[in-house]
Amino acid sequence: MTDDLGERTLRLARDLVAIDSRSSLSNIAIAERIEAELAGFEVERLDWTDPNGVPKRALVAHRGPARGGAAFSAHMDTVPDTGWTSDPWTPLVADGMLHGLGACDMKGPLAASLVAAQAAPADLPLSLLYTFDEETTKAGARLIAEKSALMRRFTPKGIVVVEPSAMQCVRGHRVHVQFTATATGVQAHSSTGQGRNANLDLIPFLNALLPIHKRLREDPAWQDPAYDPPFSDFNIVIDNHGTAANVTVARATAHIKFRYSRNVDPAPVIAAVREAAERNGIALEERHEGAPPQLPEDHPLVAAAVAETGKPAKTAPYGTDASELQAIAPCIVLGPGGVDTAHTPNERVAVADLAAAPPVLLRLAARIAALP
């Protein structure tokens, strides 16, 4: 049975990797491929159009009794194909690894969760929550949390987000505030002196952020020792929107991702960014996720995962859909593979890890269903 589950997981993972589902694109094709595997499940489609007019779809499915059980969650989208020199959507199995964009994060784990659910006995209540735009806005998870009629009928006792964690329970993780800071200039040929370079406004703003970055790294009062690293992420990406070197920049944008855990107060950082933007005449937009999800070590859901895997629970510096799905039920993160190659042009996951995951997930679902 285990060999069969492993073969089915690899086959489905390869099919999913072959579908381009970057967050900027519609995910309808991959949603339809997944739904083709959901015979015997009650399926709810939640359709949505993103701000760019791109159609998206979340899937919620349930099989088994109506009483509370477990839910497996995964996202269908991937990051962009930045840096890839081979075709990201041609899945390749080599040296015991499945290579391809999304193989690890998280089409391989998604496949493992679906194969596990297909193998569940008829008397085990089990739900599936498959989302879109996890890599960008968490809009798919938020849509499920706010709109799913199926989840209101079959509220699970616990949600297992099957992001890659080397099958070790992640009991808590960080969430982010995404800042978009924009400076506006006047475009002209740079030799004429007629333009105004937006970078000249953006640079003082960025300079004002350096003390924030430094304090996050060095001040224990702004850190959380329960996490590795203990300091919050404060990542800055600068975009001149393709402006050539002989053109004054008409628009300069800084994207700043600030990640924080439950024991870190985000208010001083948010206030400092806002003050720097106002002082330097920078237009600032903010996008906030839900509160950082974090369960205590003795929570029954955490205890069930630790008992099943034999590994201690941990925290993680990244974020997942748990930030939104925790509105439905308590969440942990536990799935095959590791994040070491995620978001890289060498993304891969061990075939053996994918094969080993469905039986563990299935036994964990039984433990969760048995919780009081």
Side-chain angles (χ1 to χ4, degrees), residues 94-242:
D95 301 321
M97 310 291 290
L98 172 63
H99 300 255
L101 180 58
C104 174
D105 185 13
M106 62 177 305
K107 294 178 177 180
L110 188 159
S113 72
L114 181 46
V115 169
Q118 291 171 330
D123 62 347
L124 180 65
L126 190 57
S127 300
L128 299 171
L129 314 175
Y130 292 147
T131 73
F132 57 83
D133 287 8
E134 188 274 346
E135 299 289 4
T136 52
T137 65
K138 308 291 190 294
R142 192 157 47 249
L143 182 66
I144 290 175
E146 294 176 355
K147 301 293 186 181
S148 174
L150 211 54
M151 279 297 92
R152 286 194 292 273
R153 287 169 49 205
F154 302 115
T155 302
K157 293 179 179 178
I159 299 172
V160 181
V161 180
V162 297
E163 290 271 9
S165 72
M167 298 303 285
Q168 183 174 1
C169 174
V170 173
R171 65 180 181 87
H173 64 63
R174 290 173 169 142
V175 298
H176 74 244
V177 179
Q178 180 72 51
F179 299 99
T180 302
T182 304
T184 302
V186 176
Q187 182 174 328
H189 195 294
S190 62
S191 69
T192 66
Q194 301 300 309
R196 184 168 58 83
N197 194 316
N199 283 329
L200 299 181
D201 292 330
L202 189 64
I203 289 169
F205 165 74
L206 294 174
N207 188 60
L209 301 186
L210 293 180
I212 302 173
H213 186 276
K214 180 180 177 64
R215 187 171 179 186
L216 287 168
R217 294 292 181 108
E218 298 179 358
D219 187 348
W222 280 26
Q223 297 179 354
D224 187 346
Y227 282 74
D228 182 16
F231 53 82
S232 298
D233 184 19
F234 194 77
N235 192 51
I236 302 171
V237 177
I238 301 169
D239 187 1
N240 279 177
H241 306 280

